[in-house]
Amino acid sequence: MDNAGLILALAGAVSAALFAGIGSAYGVGLAGRAGAGAITENPDLFSKVLILQLLPGTQGIYGLLVAFVTLSQIGLLGGGAAELTAGQGLMYLLSCLPIAVVGLISAIYQGQTSVAAIGVVTKKPDQFGKAMLFPAMVETYAILALLNSILAVFSL
Amino acid sequence: MKKDYTYAVARIRGREMSLFGQPVMEQLLSCGTYEEALRFLADKGWGDPEKPLTAENILDAETEKTWNLISEMVKDMSVFDVFRIADDYHNLKAAIKLAYTKKEMDRSRLFVTGGRVEAEAVEKAARERDFTGLPADMAKAGAEALDTLLHTGDGQLCDIILDRASLEETYRAGKAAEDEVLRDYAVLTVAAADIRIATRCGRVGKSLDFTERALADCAELDTEALARAALNGTDAVAEYLEKTAYAPAAEALRQSPAAFEKWCDDLIISHIRPQKYNPFTLGPLAAYILARRNEIKCVRMVLSCRQNSLPEEAIRERLREMYV
C-alpha cells in the first residue's frame, strides 16, 4: 500500500482526539450528574461545582491539540499530504498513543474523583480549595502524557 | 445497563446536612415539655404546616417526605423492597382483622404508606377474600392467615403467619438485593426479629411447636436450636447467641429487651456509616432511608417520654447512635 505511512499517522491523530475525547465526555458527564444533584439541594454551590465538573474536560482538549499538531506535521491541514514511509507513520501513531490512552483513563478517574470532591463541597463549601486538589492531582498524568506526545510528534 | 445513582447520591449528600446529629438531639432533650419539643421540631422544618402540631402528624409527615424524596430520584422503587415489605404485611394484617371483625375504623390510623401495594388494594383483597392481585408470597400468606382466623378465631396465630411470611420475604429480597447495605439490613432485621420472637415466646411460656412456627428461616441462625433455647428462658437464648455471629447481642439481651433493640439499631447505624464516603451506588440512598428511620424513631422516643413525663435518664439510655 503506497500511503500506509499516512494512514498510520492519521490513525494516531484520530486516536488522540477520539479516546481522550471519550474519556472527557464520560468524566464531565459523571461530574455533571453529581453537580446537578448538589445544586438541586443548594444552588449557591453552582460556581464551585462547575469548576469541579470541568476538570475532566481537559483531556479532550489535550487530545485535540495532539491531533492538530500531528495533522499539521503530516501536512494534512495544509492541503499537501507528506510522503511518509510505514515506519514514519507508525512512529506518529506511537507518539499519539500516550495522550490517547492516558487521556481516556485519566479523564474517567478524574470524573469519579470530581464526583467525590463535589460530595465534599456539598457538605463543606468552605473546603472547596482542598476538595479541588484531589481531582487536580489526576490531571498531572494527563499533562505528562500530553508532553510526551507533543515532544514526540514535534521531534519526528 | 447498570443503574446510575450519581445524581441521587449528590442530592442525598445535601440532605444529610439536615439530619439530626447528637447535638440536635441534645437540644431536643433539653426541651422541658412535650409542647416545647413539638415547637422545636416545627422550627427545624419538621411536620406539615397545614396539619395540627401533634407527634403523629409530624412523624408521619417526615416518613412521607423521605419516601417522596427517594421516589423523585429512583425510578425503580423495587430496589428498596427490603424496606417496604414490612409495611405491606402490616397493612395486610390490619386489612384481614378489619375484614374479620367487620368494624368501621379510621383507615388512616390502621394503614401505613410506603409499601409496594396501595393500602386500598390490600383492604379490598382481604374484604373480598381474593388475594390474587397481591404479590405472590403476600397473596399466599394472606389467604392462609385469613383462613386460619376464620377457622380458629385465633388472632395470634394469624399474626405469626403474616409476621413470618413478612420476615422471610424480606430475607429473600435482601439476599437478591444489589447493594451490601440492603443485604446486611435484611439479614440483621430477620435475625433480630427471630431473637426477639424467641425471647418473648420463652418469657410467656409458649410451646416449642409454637415458637418454631413463629421463627422465620434465616441461614445465620439455627432456628430449631433458638426455639429450644427459648424454652429455657432469656439466659438460654443469650447463651445460644454466644455461639453465633450475634455473640455481642447476648449481653444486651441479658440486660433488657430495650438494650437489645438499641444494640440492633446501633449495629445497623455502624454498618451504614461508611456510606457517607461512598459517592456512587445505591448504598448511600439506602443508608439515608435507614438514617431517617433511626432519626424518626429517636424523636418518637423523646416525644413519648416527654408526653409521659418520664425522666431524662430513661430517654438517654434508649437513644440510638445517630448517622451524622
Side-chain angles (χ1 to χ4, degrees), chain B residues 263-314:
Chain B
W263 181 86
C264 292
D265 288 342
D266 287 350
L267 184 66
I268 288 175
I269 292 296
S270 69
H271 270 246
I272 64 172
R273 222 167 247 146
Q275 297 303 322
K276 281 197 285 186
Y277 313 106
N278 171 10
F280 306 103
T281 80
L282 189 63
L285 305 188
Y288 178 77
I289 295 171
L290 289 171
R292 283 287 277 159
R293 280 184 168 193
N294 187 56
E295 184 185 41
I296 291 168
K297 191 186 274 185
C298 288
V299 170
R300 189 188 301 276
M301 245 180 272
V302 174
L303 291 178
S304 75
C305 284
R306 279 279 169 266
Q307 205 167 13
N308 296 298
S309 307
L310 291 177
E312 200 171 305
E313 275 315 300

Side-chain angles (χ1 to χ4, degrees), chain B residues 251-264 317-318:
Chain B
E251 202 189 319
L253 193 65
R254 281 194 188 101
Q255 215 178 319
S256 70
F260 174 70
E261 295 299 330
K262 178 173 160 38
W263 181 86
C264 292
E317 68 183 23
R318 284 169 174 78

